[in-house]
């Protein structure tokens, strides 16, 4: 039985949708920036640890509640703006 942070799954699921929005079309999506966005987001959110058995139940029941989806979205947008303002990647120019 494994213990994992369910927030990671929510972040993984929501990030592509947010980056798809018109506002974030210019966001760099290199591995470094994506990982930075995820790390900053997860640091700003309370972790929600579950066992993998619970995880299976949760995905059957239908994901997470709406409030945590909104919280994660807000945290993701803050993280995107932070990374956008000071990207960690090497600029090849
Ligand atoms: Zn980048």
């Amino acid at each position: 039985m494994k213990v994992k942070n369910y927030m990671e799954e929510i972040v993984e699921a929501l990030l592509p949708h947010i980056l798809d929005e018109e506002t974030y079309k210019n966001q760099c999506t290199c591995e470094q920036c994506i990982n930075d966005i995820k790390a900053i987001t997860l640091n700003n959110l309370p972790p929600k640890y579950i066992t993998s058995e619970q995880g299976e139940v949760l995905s059957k029941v239908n994901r997470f509640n709406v409030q945590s989806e909104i919280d994660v979205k807000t945290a993701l947008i803050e993280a995107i703006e932070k990374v956008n303002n000071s990207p960690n990647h090497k600029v090849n120019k």
Side-chain angles (χ1 to χ4, degrees):
M1 182 87 55
K2 268 188 177 173
V3 176
K4 63 181 298 183
N5 182 2
Y6 195 56
M7 282 298 181
E8 286 180 31
E9 299 217 339
I10 306 181
V11 166
E12 290 280 352
L14 284 182
L15 183 56
H17 294 286
I18 294 175
L19 290 175
D20 225 31
E21 287 174 16
E22 200 58 40
T23 324
Y24 304 107
K25 278 279 184 255
N26 293 325
Q27 171 60 42
C28 174
T29 53
C30 75
E31 202 184 1
Q32 177 76 61
C33 288
I34 294 296
N35 286 338
D36 282 344
I37 291 168
K38 287 180 189 168
I40 294 168
T41 306
L42 289 167
N43 282 336
N44 285 331
L45 288 168
K48 187 170 169 55
Y49 290 105
I50 55 168
T51 63
S52 56
E53 198 173 80
Q54 276 178 310
E56 279 158 32
V57 173
L58 278 172
S59 56
K60 270 182 204 148
V61 167
N62 194 11
R63 308 187 307 158
F64 33 88
N65 69 53
V66 174
Q67 187 53 48
S68 53
E69 184 166 339
I70 292 168
D71 290 347
V72 173
K73 209 175 169 189
T74 308
L76 271 168
I77 287 167
E78 276 176 23
I80 288 170
E81 280 165 7
K82 229 178 239 175
V83 169
N84 217 356
N85 288 334
S86 53
N88 247 331
H89 58 203
K90 296 187 185 79
V91 181
N92 294 317
K93 266 180 193 167

